[in-house]
Amino acid sequence: LYVTKEVCNFLMNRHKQGKPVVPVSINLSWMDFYDESMMSWIINDLRKCSIPGAMARFEITETSYAAIKEDRNNILSSLKNLGSKVLLDDFGSGYSSFGMLQNYNFDILKIDMSFVRQIETNPKTRSILGFIIEMAHEMEMQVVAEGAETQAQVDFLKESGCDFIQGYYYSKPLPEEEFVRM
């Protein structure tokens, strides 16, 4: 809840000051879905936020699948109805990925960094990544590849049609002050 409030305040302040605003993602754990009060507070805070909803994004990991499956889809739908984007994080790291894609409409698919790290060493990985990106686009999702660290990885992902690339190649995680300067 604290993180959601801080993200909304940060984005609102920049928006009001006419400064550039980029989307910020907030991770939701499987435990968050079992705390109905917390999820209600998050949704209410988003309603009060005077920023475009797509600027606050929510990442759901594959391990959250059990919680989502237990009739929590209404929470994700509420977030989407407020304009927020819902991301499936760490795609490919667990066993339930395809089940999650079948049962919920995510806006963005985040490919787990374990795939990206093998681009230069495993030809099968390149084929799998190409398939995942194509499949996601076919399902009208954008794709983020996590963990890019080398030029070769970035080049392959761009050539494969990946929408966004995240990783140390571009920047390490930054404190807020450094992020604002950047």
Side-chain angles (χ1 to χ4, degrees):
L1 184 59
Y2 173 80
V3 170
T4 303
K5 285 181 183 291
E6 289 295 306
V7 166
C8 284
N9 287 336
F10 174 78
L11 293 173
M12 277 191 328
N13 289 336
R14 289 195 60 85
H15 184 69
K16 286 179 184 175
Q17 295 169 11
K19 294 181 178 179
V21 180
V22 295
V24 177
S25 293
I26 301 161
N27 291 316
L28 296 176
S29 77
W30 64 270
M31 293 187 310
D32 295 332
F33 286 96
Y34 287 108
D35 188 339
E36 291 182 25
S37 296
M38 182 173 166
M39 294 310 298
S40 293
W41 291 331
I42 289 171
I43 290 167
N44 287 332
D45 280 352
L46 274 181
R47 282 191 183 109
K48 295 175 195 171
C49 221
S50 63
I51 57 164
M55 290 295 127
R57 298 177 172 192
F58 294 89
E59 295 189 15
I60 314 300
T61 61
E62 289 184 87
T63 56
S64 300
Y65 183 63
I68 295 168
K69 198 173 179 181
E70 291 179 16
D71 243 6
R72 303 300 194 290
N73 261 347
N74 59 336
I75 293 168
L76 297 182
S77 294
S78 295
L79 293 171
K80 286 181 73 144
N81 289 339
L82 291 169
S84 293
K85 300 283 186 189
V86 178
L87 294 75
L88 176 56
D89 195 15
D90 299 333
F91 183 81
S93 64
Y95 62 89
S96 59
S97 301
F98 290 104
M100 287 187 78
L101 292 178
Q102 184 177 348
N103 295 321
Y104 191 78
N105 296 323
F106 291 93
D107 298 298
I108 300 172
L109 182 76
K110 291 187 75 175
I111 299 172
D112 188 69
M113 70 175 64
S114 62
F115 284 104
V116 175
R117 289 187 176 151
Q118 294 184 47
I119 287 173
E120 297 170 75
T121 59
N122 187 339
K124 289 180 183 177
T125 297
R126 291 189 292 277
S127 295
I128 291 169
L129 283 170
F131 167 73
I132 291 171
I133 292 167
E134 184 179 331
M135 176 193 65
H137 287 162
E138 183 69 28
M139 297 174 74
E140 299 180 6
M141 286 184 280
Q142 292 181 306
V143 179
V144 175
E146 298 179 304
E149 296 181 356
T150 68
Q151 183 70 52
Q153 292 168 345
V154 169
D155 290 344
F156 174 82
L157 292 165
K158 284 180 179 180
E159 290 167 13
S160 298
C162 189
D163 301 292
F164 305 100
I165 303 168
Q166 172 184 326
Y168 286 0
Y169 179 81
Y170 295 105
S171 177
K172 292 185 177 183
L174 301 171
E176 183 177 327
E177 302 79 35
E178 287 181 48
F179 176 76
V180 168
R181 279 194 302 273
M182 182 186 236

